[in-house]
Amino acid sequence: DVYSLDFFPSSYCNFRCRMCGPHASSKWAKTLNLTTESADFEFNESILKEIILTKKLVKLNFTGGETILQKQVYRFVKLIKENNLQNYLTNTTVEFVTNCSVFPDQLLDDFARIFKKVCITLSIDGVEEIIENQRIDAVWKTVEKNALRYFALDNEKFSIVINCVITLLNIHDIDRLVHWCFKNRFPDVFFTLVDRKVFLDIDQIDLDKKTILEKLQNIEHNLDSIVVDYSKFDKQEYINKRKKKRNSL
């Protein structure tokens, strides 16, 4: 029986995030003149239907690439609707991450009708020039407009959080993101350290992480309606692991 399914249908993406690469971004692949611009994977409809018909699928997680731009995601929804499989997914939660470059009205409506819960993570690493520098091809005005539309979704059906990837490029401007979240009354922000890109690790510079954390926690204390998860940001085990790996190169 399958209770949780991670679905990576394609590497198609319209951004070239500095902490990403051609493995998960077709835009990077095209920029680097790689032979495969987008890694597309055809899914087996019969296997998916078999999984759905068990009524035991608790979580479906779409990855990518930029999920909401991938044609396979829309094919998956079409498969469900054409075969009347909605009743087999009433206890299933769907999850995906988006860069907020678009707001897919119809897809979100379909997800809301099909699934028990829709959990969306917005990848926002900073405001204005910060995100435009870290996530090449991002336009802050567009990201902000779409993020606010996500915030406005029905919270009974949708769960929306922000994930901010901490790198050398945004570490000193995180407070601006927190203030923006507070101004827009958005309470859930998570921080994760960059992975796989040693040159963007914050341990590359002489950085007092304690000072940075105190700065953020002071902001949170004064903005009592916002909750910030610092656990992954202050993950010393991760830092030590990255240093060991770098030293072995």
Side-chain angles (χ1 to χ4, degrees), residues 11 13-16 25-32 37 137:
S11 65
C13 187
N14 56 341
F15 280 10
R16 291 170 293 167
S25 169
S26 58
K27 195 74 175 285
W28 264 126
K30 183 177 181 180
T31 299
L32 296 172
E37 182 177 325
D137 302 311

Side-chain angles (χ1 to χ4, degrees), residues 100-117:
C100 293
S101 59
V102 296
F103 186 87
D105 299 83
Q106 186 57 56
L107 181 65
L108 294 175
D109 287 344
D110 287 336
F111 277 176
R113 284 194 292 267
I114 293 171
F115 299 103
K116 177 182 179 181
K117 190 80 173 180

Side-chain angles (χ1 to χ4, degrees), residues 60-168:
L60 171 62
N61 179 40
F62 285 109
T63 62
E66 174 61 15
T67 298
I68 55 181
L69 294 179
Q70 296 169 353
K71 61 185 180 182
Q72 293 91 338
V73 175
Y74 294 85
R75 280 186 54 208
F76 181 82
V77 171
K78 184 179 179 181
L79 171 70
I80 293 170
K81 294 165 73 172
E82 288 184 346
N83 291 274
N84 296 314
L85 299 173
Q86 295 93 323
N87 291 337
Y88 296 91
L89 294 165
T90 54
N91 291 316
T92 305
T93 294
V94 65
E95 302 176 351
F96 68 90
V97 178
T98 178
N99 59 26
C100 293
S101 59
V102 296
F103 186 87
D105 299 83
Q106 186 57 56
L107 181 65
L108 294 175
D109 287 344
D110 287 336
F111 277 176
R113 284 194 292 267
I114 293 171
F115 299 103
K116 177 182 179 181
K117 190 80 173 180
V118 183
C119 298
I120 308 172
T121 298
L122 312 183
S123 294
I124 303 178
D125 306 323
V127 301
E128 300 173 335
E129 79 283 359
I130 304 302
I131 191 171
E132 291 179 355
N133 182 36
Q134 179 147 307
R135 296 184 180 268
I136 303 171
D137 302 311
V139 177
W140 169 245
K141 288 185 177 180
T142 300
V143 170
E144 181 180 38
K145 179 186 70 174
N146 290 326
L148 294 176
R149 293 185 69 186
Y150 280 110
F151 296 168
L153 292 170
D154 178 13
N155 58 15
E156 290 296 320
K157 195 71 175 183
F158 293 89
S159 172
I160 314 293
V161 300
I162 284 178
N163 183 70
C164 171
V165 179
I166 301 291
T167 74
L168 293 178

Side-chain angles (χ1 to χ4, degrees), residues 177-188:
L177 173 62
V178 175
H179 275 293
W180 176 80
C181 291
F182 174 73
K183 181 184 73 172
N184 291 289
R185 300 181 179 181
F186 187 70
D188 298 308

